[in-house]
Amino acid sequence: PPAGPEGLTCDGSAVRGTLAQVLSGMEAGVLVAPARNGDGSVLVAVDLTGPGVTRTALETLDPTRGQARMELDGATARVLGPPPDIGDLLCVALAAEQLGVMRAALDAIVAYAKVRVAFGRYIGSYQGVKHKLADMHAKLEQAESIVRYAAWAADESPDDLPEAAALAQAYVGRACFEVARDHLLLHGGIGYTWEHDAHLFYKRAKADEVLMGPPRVHRARLAALLEL
């Protein structure tokens, strides 16, 4: 959840506090989050099926990934150990998801452009559509290179991970949204209907773009890390 150690307190096996936004909070059976105790901060696993747990569903942009407000009042928990610093790893994992959104969106619109006929021609034969598809493909290729580099850094080169993670979210987050947006636009009128999946790509891409902070935050961090 996007909350720091100040959100929860841990007293033995009981946890109290509130988290404003928890991904999949209405469905989850266990919550893993940092909490504050007498020794500093610890990572706890909270049993969400027991007493002392109040969940409130939130209205979200992306209907396929729900969120909930979580209020804990003596909920049963188990201390896992010190909280790890996983912010950069989360940025890389999110970038990998965003890359998948981009690829699925591009594959879908390319397939559509091959069968949709307008004014007696397949829309994929129109120069304006071809240029847009080429731009989307170029963004996908750049994003894949960045995500592969970030994944390598996460696995093999921890010293390079902060810069790689910042780069991934600085570029891939916005590129994913732009590809999802153009995927919707190129579908024409059908892309704006609830019956089509285009709006789901669009909403997931927009929600992901700001999940770990907007791209401008990561650009500023990358500039600071590179001492620019």
Side-chain angles (χ1 to χ4, degrees), residues 101-189:
V101 172
M102 295 174 72
R103 185 173 298 282
L106 181 59
D107 287 348
I109 189 56
V110 167
Y112 184 72
K114 292 178 180 179
V115 298
R116 176 70 167 95
V117 175
F119 304 105
R121 295 171 55 185
Y122 293 112
I123 64 171
S125 67
Y126 289 106
Q127 189 177 55
V129 174
K130 288 191 284 188
H131 285 177
K132 183 65 71 174
L133 292 175
D135 289 342
M136 294 167 71
H137 180 71
K139 291 173 183 176
L140 172 65
E141 290 296 310
Q142 287 180 294
E144 182 168 0
S145 295
I146 291 171
V147 171
R148 285 182 177 274
Y149 167 64
W152 168 83
D155 194 42
E156 300 288 346
S157 184
D159 290 342
D160 293 320
L161 179 57
E163 291 90 343
L167 173 62
Q169 282 307 305
Y171 178 81
V172 181
R174 188 61 187 176
C176 176
F177 171 71
E178 291 173 349
V179 168
R181 176 200 62 199
D182 292 340
H183 162 263
L184 186 152
L185 293 174
L186 288 173
H187 271 92

Side-chain angles (χ1 to χ4, degrees), residues 214-226:
R216 67 176 182 274
V217 171
H218 299 283
R219 287 195 295 269
R221 183 187 180 216
L222 180 60
L225 289 169
L226 297 176

Side-chain angles (χ1 to χ4, degrees), residues 1 4 14 18 28 33-34 46 49 64 69 73 102 134 148 151 158 165 173 214 227:
T18 300
V46 184
T49 63
T64 66
R69 175 183 172 87
D73 186 11
M102 295 174 72
R148 285 182 177 274
E227 299 181 351

Side-chain angles (χ1 to χ4, degrees), residues 28-116:
V30 176
L31 169 71
V32 178
R36 189 174 64 251
N37 67 2
D39 299 324
S41 297
V42 293
L43 193 68
V44 295
V46 184
D47 180 9
L48 298 180
T49 63
V53 179
T54 302
R55 319 185 205 202
T56 304
L58 301 176
E59 184 176 353
T60 60
L61 173 65
D62 180 4
T64 66
R65 176 177 280 163
Q67 298 184 27
R69 175 183 172 87
M70 197 80 67
E71 298 175 74
L72 306 177
D73 186 11
T76 303
R78 178 166 56 93
V79 175
L80 301 178
D85 184 7
I86 60 172
D88 288 336
L89 293 176
L90 291 176
C91 285
V92 175
L94 180 61
E97 175 182 290
Q98 290 164 326
L99 178 63
V101 172
M102 295 174 72
R103 185 173 298 282
L106 181 59
D107 287 348
I109 189 56
V110 167
Y112 184 72
K114 292 178 180 179
V115 298
R116 176 70 167 95

